[in-house]
Amino acid sequence: MEQKIKTMNLIDFDLSFVGEEKYLQAYIDYLFASSDKSLKDNLKAMDLPNSSYHYCKNNGFKNSYFTLEIIAKYFNVELKIDNQILKELEELLSKAFTECFYVEGKTKDIREKLKKYEYLSHNNILSPIYYLIYISVLDLPDQIEKYKEELPNFVIPMMDSIYPSLPFDLQYVYLDMLSQYYQVTDEMDKYPHIIKELEKLDPYVDERVKTMGHYDLIVLNFCVNNIESAYKYTKSCEQLYIKYFNPRRLNYIKKNLTGLAFKCQKYDEVVTSARSNLLFTSREETRPVVYKQTIMLLCSALILTKQYKEAINSTELIYENEFTDYYNQAMLIKMFCYLKLNKKAQLEDIYAQLKVVEDNRAITLADLIHDLISQKRKEMSTFGKRLKPIYVDAFSGYRQICDLLKTEYEQYLKKNNKFIDILDM
């Protein structure tokens, strides 16, 4: 006889709360709330005395079989729990949480297994559990339009009604699933509420569910421009993925950490993080675009910590990997470092090379660095106007050098009591 091997999950959720009064009342409240009639009209139509209903509201529906039978018949729902199906859904939820987040390419398998329980999505007390799993396995990045159409309109209102009856861990899981849905449906107005609710629950939930929740809190906080919080949750995820061994997510998190640390002006950490990422990525056959960006962040952080020689040495990674589209950036970084090191001969040599490149933005930036040598009034009076068009172009590829030049110009203006932000020019 073949022995069935139980799947190992990161966490095994307990759905026994479904049999409790709180959950039953929440589902019955949803049935009445979703009706197009008032409570009074519904009770009259089902010939249920007001006193019986309010007695159950105050003392519980669970043991009031007569009232339950009338409600079930009126709304055409099944209010009895099939414990075997509940157990199967419990295992499926635990597996979905684990495999969708930790095992790449397994989402489709869970969706296929869930189809067996599709009938539960209609008129059954277990339907919120079904949809909790259903939302968790939506193939959001690739087929969001398809699933927006397939997700029935009643699901989110139903889940919101049931939400207070869920244990903290599942409240947290549901909110996180919902946040992922809102991220791909571009409903940014929902982000602040989701963040607030997740953070309110955070002290009370199992650390293992935070492996998913903190990941989405990074994205949500970044989107609402709360960079410090995004950085905090990135650091948390780094520790969680080391503890619970999720190398795929850990690699992605580490790359994010460099950029967030830079935005938070934690430049020493940028240097450490960038070098770690570059060391890891150097083993990969294909260097992603983030590899180039990480080199630039490393160079900028080294400049901002006044390690100019190290910054010059780090630009060699651009040439070693033959990133020809970043050669101009590398030369501008070196030119800026030679300015700081007061090495005019080397600066002039690179300046001459940049003056003949086929990129007007690189030539303009080279001119601006060159103008910082003498800081003559005539050239400096137009510095901001020349820098602004490149600075405001998020896709120019010169973000780091633009930021460095903006800082230099601000210092010049403050020293001369003429400060004005370049964005106002």
Side-chain angles (χ1 to χ4, degrees):
M1 183 176 177
E2 186 179 348
Q3 185 179 5
K4 186 177 179 181
I5 300 174
K6 182 176 172 62
T7 306
M8 183 176 71
N9 298 314
L10 178 67
I11 186 171
D12 289 305
F13 293 108
D14 180 2
L15 301 186
S16 60
F17 68 92
V18 171
E20 297 172 359
E21 179 67 36
K22 188 178 179 182
Y23 179 85
L24 176 62
Q25 284 212 20
Y27 187 71
I28 290 174
D29 286 345
Y30 161 72
L31 294 174
F32 279 98
S34 60
S35 169
D36 58 357
K37 297 179 182 178
S38 67
L39 173 62
K40 182 179 179 180
D41 288 341
N42 274 319
L43 293 176
K44 184 178 180 181
M46 67 175 70
D47 199 23
L48 181 67
N50 285 0
S51 57
S52 297
Y53 172 77
H54 289 294
Y55 177 85
C56 292
K57 279 287 290 182
N58 294 327
N59 299 284
F61 286 92
K62 195 172 179 183
N63 296 317
S64 303
Y65 303 112
F66 173 72
T67 302
L68 275 182
E69 188 176 342
I70 291 176
I71 293 173
K73 186 175 180 180
Y74 178 74
F75 286 108
N76 190 28
V77 296
E78 177 57 68
L79 296 178
K80 294 178 181 177
I81 298 168
D82 185 321
N83 287 310
Q84 178 57 39
I85 291 177
L86 181 63
K87 202 69 184 172
E88 291 170 11
L89 288 173
E90 187 178 77
E91 170 61 22
L92 202 53
L93 175 62
S94 304
K95 191 173 181 182
F97 178 86
T98 302
E99 296 198 352
C100 294
F101 196 64
Y102 275 76
V103 186
E104 193 169 9
K106 287 289 186 179
T107 308
K108 185 177 179 181
D109 294 345
I110 302 293
R111 277 204 308 273
E112 288 299 317
K113 290 175 182 175
L114 188 61
K115 283 181 180 179
K116 172 184 173 183
Y117 305 92
E118 192 168 3
Y119 72 94
L120 289 173
S121 64
H122 301 289
N123 305 327
N124 192 294
I125 195 171
L126 293 181
S127 59
I129 306 302
Y130 169 85
Y131 278 110
L132 183 63
I133 305 169
Y134 183 90
I135 294 172
S136 74
V137 294
L138 288 178
D139 197 2
L140 296 178
D142 303 320
Q143 301 183 50
I144 182 57
E145 290 304 321
K146 174 185 173 186
Y147 286 103
K148 272 165 60 178
E149 293 173 5
E150 288 189 5
L151 189 66
N153 292 331
F154 68 83
V155 172
I156 291 177
M158 178 182 69
M159 294 303 299
D160 286 347
S161 296
I162 297 297
Y163 175 82
S165 71
L166 301 176
F168 287 152
D169 283 349
L170 285 180
Q171 286 184 354
Y172 192 87
V173 168
Y174 168 63
L175 285 172
D176 183 74
M177 304 297 187
L178 201 56
S179 81
Q180 294 176 44
Y181 182 75
Y182 288 146
Q183 285 169 44
V184 292
T185 53
D186 283 335
E187 297 181 66
M188 287 189 66
D189 59 310
K190 305 288 200 312
Y191 292 6
H193 173 72
I194 295 285
I195 292 170
K196 181 181 177 181
E197 292 303 307
L198 283 171
E199 290 183 334
K200 190 190 299 182
L201 287 168
D202 202 75
Y204 308 106
V205 301
D206 192 294
E207 185 180 62
R208 290 165 291 181
V209 302
K210 296 180 185 182
T211 58
M212 181 176 66
H214 284 196
Y215 185 85
D216 284 305
L217 279 166
I218 296 168
V219 180
L220 295 170
N221 277 289
F222 185 83
C223 288
V224 298
N225 204 33
N226 193 339
I227 305 303
E228 286 287 346
S229 286
Y231 172 78
K232 178 183 78 172
Y233 287 114
T234 303
K235 292 291 288 182
S236 169
C237 279
E238 182 181 35
Q239 296 306 311
L240 288 169
Y241 297 155
I242 291 171
K243 183 173 182 178
Y244 294 107
F245 192 67
N246 192 338
R248 181 169 61 94
R249 292 279 184 177
L250 181 61
N251 182 27
Y252 183 74
I253 280 294
K254 281 183 172 292
K255 289 172 181 175
N256 274 354
L257 188 58
T258 306
L260 286 169
F262 192 89
K263 284 183 176 291
C264 293
Q265 300 181 3
K266 301 178 186 293
Y267 301 123
D268 288 331
E269 183 163 343
V270 172
V271 172
T272 303
S273 175
R275 283 175 170 159
S276 172
N277 290 338
L278 291 170
L279 181 64
F280 179 85
T281 313
S282 67
R283 269 53 173 181
E284 299 177 1
E285 291 185 13
T286 304
R287 307 280 195 274
V289 66
V290 72
Y291 190 82
K292 305 173 191 178
Q293 294 165 351
T294 304
I295 294 171
M296 295 304 295
L297 287 172
L298 171 61
C299 292
S300 294
L302 288 166
I303 288 171
L304 290 164
T305 52
K306 299 183 179 181
Q307 300 178 67
Y308 303 117
K309 291 181 180 178
E310 284 295 320
I312 292 170
N313 290 337
S314 294
T315 62
E316 292 304 311
L317 290 167
I318 297 289
Y319 300 105
E320 289 172 10
N321 289 278
E322 298 182 350
F323 294 143
T324 55
D325 56 327
Y326 268 62
Y327 283 0
N328 292 343
Q329 284 91 325
M331 287 194 288
L332 286 164
I333 288 290
K334 286 196 283 188
M335 190 177 171
F336 187 87
C337 289
Y338 287 134
L339 170 74
K340 290 296 185 179
L341 290 167
N342 199 27
K343 293 192 174 183
K344 191 172 180 181
Q346 290 93 327
L347 186 154
E348 293 290 351
D349 180 54
I350 297 175
Y351 183 51
Q353 296 176 49
L354 280 165
K355 289 296 284 184
V356 296
V357 300
E358 295 181 359
D359 186 337
N360 291 332
R361 296 165 302 177
I363 294 171
T364 298
L365 293 171
D367 287 338
L368 292 173
I369 296 172
H370 197 262
D371 290 342
L372 289 170
I373 300 173
S374 60
Q375 296 190 7
K376 291 181 179 178
R377 185 178 299 176
K378 181 179 178 182
E379 286 79 9
M380 296 304 290
S381 65
T382 63
F383 194 102
K385 290 180 181 178
R386 287 180 286 158
L387 175 60
K388 182 178 177 179
I390 308 172
Y391 180 84
V392 298
D393 181 2
F395 303 102
S396 71
Y398 292 101
R399 168 52 61 190
Q400 275 70 46
I401 194 67
C402 282
D403 281 338
L404 293 168
L405 291 177
K406 180 176 181 287
T407 301
E408 290 293 313
Y409 187 52
E410 286 174 345
Q411 290 173 355
Y412 167 82
L413 291 173
K414 287 174 181 176
K415 187 171 67 174
N416 290 275
N417 297 316
K418 296 179 180 178
F419 182 74
I420 181 173
D421 194 292
I422 67 163
L423 295 177
D424 295 327
M425 290 187 168

